[in-house]
Amino acid sequence: MNLLRFITLLSVGTSLLTAATPDRPNIVWLSTEDISPHIGFMGDPHAITPHLDEFANEGVVYNRTYTTAGVCAPVRSAVITGMYQSSLGTQHMRSAAHLPDHIQLFPSSLRQAGYYTSNNSKTDYQLPKGEPALKGVWDDSSGKGHWRNRPDSDQPFFAVFNFGGTHESGIESDSKYRDVTANLTAAERQDTLALTTYPPYYPETPNARENWKRNYELITAMDAWAGDLIQQLKDDGLYENTIIFFWSDHGIGLPRGKRWLYESGTHIPLAVRVPAAYRIPGQITPGTVDRQLISSIDFAPTVLHLAGVELPPQFQGRPFLGANLPPTREYIYGARDRMDERYDIIRMVRDQRFRYIRNYEPLKTYYQYMNTPEKGTTMADLRRLHDAGTLAPIPEMFFAPRKPVEELYEVDLDYHEINNLADDPAYASTLARLREVHLQWVRDTRDTGLIPEPILVTEEKRLGNRYDILRQNDDATFSTRLAHIANQASTGPDALPELVAALDDAQPSIRYWGAIGIGNIGRPAANSTTPLLATALRDESIIVRVAAARALCRLGKPAKALPVLTAVLRDGAQWERLHAANVLDEIDEQARPVLAAMHTALEPRPDLEQAGKYTVRVINRALNQLEGTTREVR
């Protein structure tokens, strides 16, 4: 071997030993909780986020990034699987759904490919303890999880860090807020009255303004945390061979933000820094803003793609970085389902200009009473001013007794989404297009959120998981028919013949929506449907009985319905009882004859998960309203 060739080979070998090869980058996720794009690099004029701004200036800002829900656990289940929570059956808060054997949490694929995987330390994937899919995911998932703990310093790593200080509890808890922001300087504090980003759907009260200010200061504290981790990568000599993502799990932890599908609940900051060695020519230009639509369901496929790991075929997201990318998104999709003790099925589609929202339960007000958000001082001020009749017109909109079936907003012109264009003839074609896009997504993804939760639980026991309920079924048309009848249930009297026919369907979920739809129509349907609903009170499915009882109450015929509701409240399983409790709360004065049974239901049932506290909360609220009391429950 000649000397020149030997020197060349030695040089190449040394390079391979001292730096990761381009197809094996390290990857770090810096995730935070409950923040909207109130970050300097997202263009917020008040944000004090110097570390993240500097980081983003070396990378790319994706300023149209959205989550699949407006609340943490459903989003995290979608992020960790690359699949919509409404496909998996993980859409309801604290649902603990089983996964089929072939669906893994995506860090497992990285680990199998030789990556060291660490998580510090939040999981919250909506899976039960001991779920097989949780095994083999992380080398370390704990408060000490860190790339520095890997046994071989040459091993590539995927390291996740989560900041919990920005959680809604950091706004509402005085002690947590003080602890998280203890190290902020005077220059890093905000002036409550100077924040021009204050939304028009909040009240002009000192408490609400203070909460808006606290959000910014918590974000500044988070910025220091992110800056410290970035500096650790630099100190370890890893900065130039590590791809870094910064993102939030959903929007701000305040009313009409967290838990909702508007910009305020789903629009999040995202910045990614890709070192020069891993950049695709023409794809990454540091210091730029990329306006393509990104969903949080795309995070998993992007990480696997960057790591050179084959994507599982069931992924519903798509990579947005790396070689040979698929076409960019036309649409973002989102879903809202049970939030703690309250059901409210809502679906969302967003394109580059418009957001479409479909309210499957329009007879429910926006601000259903939920224990957790009601503890917040902004929500308390909203409700206090509403009750006094002094709330300003825009925030008062969200106390309307019902929601529109459809909402449409031109977001760039109406970022706070106040002006609903759904009834404007000038936007009829846009409304029709997005309505169909939404329905196609519901059908294509096999949306399990349209199946009542008690049926999800029953079918999960039969099949072993919820994902297969709309896939392994002898009824080949079930998924399509379910999507159709759930949509028809809120379209009005013209759908009555279909709703009546649905009461005879073989599938209890179809029968459920038939009864719900008749109840939505109300008294105009009484003459033709009362006997049918009375028969449905004896349906073999308890949840169909509850839906039929609700319908009879809405038709003004509660006598036979109330015994059914109180029997389910007394003897039903966890989610059957919760459905019955919500109906008793919904029917207001019609529930007065069964006050004694409702008081009995205030006693927690030790045989149920968390003693059935969600049912207790709903019944307590109903009794407080009926009896003028102010009793509190946990």
Side-chain angles (χ1 to χ4, degrees):
M1 181 184 297
N2 64 47
L3 181 59
L4 179 60
R5 178 168 173 74
F6 174 79
I7 293 172
T8 301
L9 289 173
L10 181 62
S11 174
V12 171
T14 302
S15 174
L16 290 173
L17 287 171
T18 57
T21 54
D23 63 338
R24 301 280 283 180
N26 305 312
I27 301 172
V28 166
W29 274 6
L30 305 178
S31 70
T32 192
E33 301 185 38
D34 297 23
I35 72 166
S36 295
H38 301 129
I39 302 282
F41 70 71
M42 293 292 291
D44 191 290
H46 305 294
I48 303 173
T49 51
H51 300 96
L52 286 169
D53 295 347
E54 180 182 358
F55 155 75
N57 194 51
E58 297 178 11
V60 175
V61 172
Y62 296 90
N63 70 344
R64 299 210 166 188
T65 302
Y66 297 86
T67 54
T68 61
V71 72
C72 55
V75 168
R76 289 178 184 274
S77 72
V79 167
I80 204 68
T81 60
M83 303 184 68
Y84 291 107
Q85 69 274 6
S86 49
S87 289
L88 296 173
T90 56
Q91 64 272 13
H92 298 302
M93 281 296 290
R94 308 292 165 242
S95 56
H98 294 286
L99 298 180
D101 293 340
H102 70 280
I103 293 179
Q104 291 185 321
L105 310 191
F106 84 88
S108 298
S109 297
L110 288 168
R111 197 169 180 225
Q112 292 160 15
Y115 273 74
Y116 179 85
T117 60
S118 65
N119 178 49
N120 186 337
S121 60
K122 186 160 185 170
T123 52
D124 209 13
Y125 305 140
Q126 297 271 74
L127 304 177
K129 291 181 180 179
E131 179 73 3
L134 294 170
K135 298 178 181 178
V137 179
W138 305 106
D139 288 286
D140 184 6
S141 180
S142 72
K144 296 182 179 180
H146 203 290
W147 70 78
R148 288 176 173 171
N149 298 332
R150 68 197 193 282
D152 180 358
S153 61
D154 291 329
Q155 184 180 10
F157 58 82
F158 173 60
V160 177
F161 297 88
N162 184 76
F163 186 80
T166 51
H167 186 266
E168 66 181 325
S169 56
I171 294 176
E172 299 298 349
S173 166
D174 292 341
S175 59
K176 181 172 180 178
Y177 162 71
R178 287 194 299 268
D179 289 345
V180 174
T181 64
N183 294 327
L184 265 59
T185 65
E188 292 173 322
R189 299 289 178 175
Q190 299 279 356
D191 179 350
T192 56
L193 298 179
L195 294 171
T196 58
T197 53
Y198 191 73
Y201 43 77
Y202 291 150
E204 278 295 348
T205 63
N207 283 334
R209 280 277 184 179
E210 169 68 15
N211 289 341
W212 193 250
K213 181 204 79 166
R214 287 185 177 191
N215 169 63
Y216 277 93
E217 292 180 356
L218 293 168
I219 289 172
T220 297
M222 179 274 297
D223 178 76
W225 164 86
D228 178 65
L229 285 164
I230 292 169
Q231 187 60 48
Q232 289 180 42
L233 286 167
K234 293 177 179 178
D235 293 343
D236 291 356
L238 297 169
Y239 192 57
E240 292 305 329
N241 56 11
T242 302
I243 298 173
I244 307 171
F245 293 69
F246 167 78
W247 53 278
S248 170
D249 60 356
H250 54 75
I252 188 171
L254 288 171
R256 202 192 177 269
K258 184 174 184 176
R259 301 177 181 88
W260 291 97
L261 297 178
Y262 300 105
E263 290 285 303
S264 49
T266 62
H267 188 199
I268 60 169
L270 172 66
V272 184
R273 182 187 185 272
V274 179
Y278 308 107
R279 293 177 195 155
I280 302 298
Q283 185 181 109
I284 297 291
T285 303
T288 60
V289 174
D290 190 319
R291 290 172 56 86
Q292 69 173 295
L293 293 170
I294 303 290
S295 171
S296 58
I297 204 174
D298 300 330
F299 294 174
T302 300
V303 167
L304 293 188
H305 189 61
L306 289 168
V309 177
E310 184 177 357
L311 306 189
Q314 72 272 7
F315 266 9
Q316 294 169 319
R318 64 190 73 183
F320 59 87
L321 282 171
N324 303 316
L325 294 177
T328 57
R329 283 184 169 275
E330 289 186 73
Y331 302 105
I332 293 289
Y333 305 95
R336 172 181 167 126
D337 294 275
R338 178 174 54 73
M339 298 293 162
D340 294 342
E341 67 264 36
R342 298 293 186 175
Y343 292 95
D344 197 357
I345 301 172
I346 305 175
R347 296 295 179 262
M348 178 274 286
V349 177
R350 193 207 195 282
D351 65 11
Q352 285 284 2
R353 284 184 63 191
F354 296 96
R355 179 186 306 276
Y356 169 86
I357 288 177
R358 180 62 161 78
N359 292 304
Y360 279 79
E361 300 182 273
L363 271 63
K364 295 177 178 178
T365 184
Y366 289 95
Y367 285 147
Q368 293 189 82
Y369 191 98
M370 290 186 287
N371 266 27
T372 298
E374 293 287 342
K375 292 175 181 177
T377 51
T378 297
M379 191 66 234
D381 282 357
L382 282 165
R383 198 165 292 281
R384 173 178 57 81
L385 294 171
H386 163 71
D387 290 344
T390 57
L391 191 58
I394 290 177
E396 180 65 27
M397 290 166 57
F398 301 97
F399 287 95
R402 61 171 294 163
K403 301 186 292 292
V405 174
E406 295 179 304
E407 300 175 53
L408 180 68
Y409 303 99
E410 187 165 5
V411 182
D412 285 347
L413 301 180
D414 180 23
Y415 184 80
H416 292 301
E417 295 165 309
I418 301 301
N419 182 27
N420 183 10
L421 303 170
D423 293 330
D424 188 332
Y427 294 89
S429 62
T430 298
L431 182 71
R433 172 175 61 86
L434 292 177
R435 178 192 299 132
E436 181 53 38
V437 169
H438 135 259
L439 285 170
Q440 191 63 49
W441 177 76
V442 167
R443 293 189 291 262
D444 289 348
T445 61
R446 310 291 177 95
D447 190 337
T448 64
L450 303 183
I451 300 174
E453 193 168 15
I455 298 176
L456 283 179
V457 172
T458 300
E459 288 295 280
E460 181 179 47
K461 291 177 180 176
R462 181 176 70 87
L463 292 170
N465 66 83
R466 302 178 185 187
Y467 175 78
D468 287 331
I469 294 173
L470 291 172
R471 289 170 172 80
Q472 295 184 9
N473 196 292
D474 294 337
D475 185 346
T477 66
F478 177 29
S479 179
T480 300
R481 291 188 298 110
L482 177 64
H484 177 74
I485 199 65
N487 185 72
Q488 293 297 93
S490 53
T491 55
D494 288 348
L496 186 59
E498 283 189 87
L499 298 170
V500 168
L503 292 177
D504 285 330
D505 198 275
Q507 295 287 352
S509 295
I510 304 289
R511 300 199 299 276
Y512 168 85
W513 280 109
I516 290 293
I518 293 170
N520 288 347
I521 293 170
R523 293 178 186 270
N527 291 337
S528 60
T529 61
T530 297
L532 298 173
L533 292 170
T535 299
L537 290 177
R538 301 187 298 274
D539 194 278
E540 64 180 8
S541 170
I542 292 177
I543 196 60
V544 174
R545 293 179 222 162
V546 171
R550 171 190 176 272
L552 284 168
C553 290
R554 293 200 60 83
L555 269 58
K557 300 180 180 298
K560 293 182 179 180
L562 290 175
V564 171
L565 294 172
T566 54
V568 175
L569 189 64
R570 182 186 66 243
D571 302 324
Q574 179 99 346
W575 308 119
E576 294 164 350
R577 294 182 76 230
L578 183 58
H579 272 268
N582 272 285
V583 172
L584 287 165
D585 188 29
E586 176 185 343
I587 63 176
D588 298 323
E589 286 295 324
Q590 286 184 328
R592 194 170 287 280
V594 295
L595 286 178
M598 293 169 69
H599 272 282
T600 300
L602 285 176
E603 193 66 31
R605 258 181 52 185
D607 60 311
L608 299 179
E609 180 185 349
Q610 298 187 68
K613 70 175 183 180
Y614 288 162
T615 294
V616 173
R617 290 178 179 181
V618 173
I619 289 297
N620 184 65
R621 171 64 176 174
L623 287 170
N624 281 341
Q625 293 293 98
L626 287 168
E627 298 178 329
T629 52
T630 57
R631 180 181 43 250
E632 295 184 0
V633 295
R634 70 180 184 93

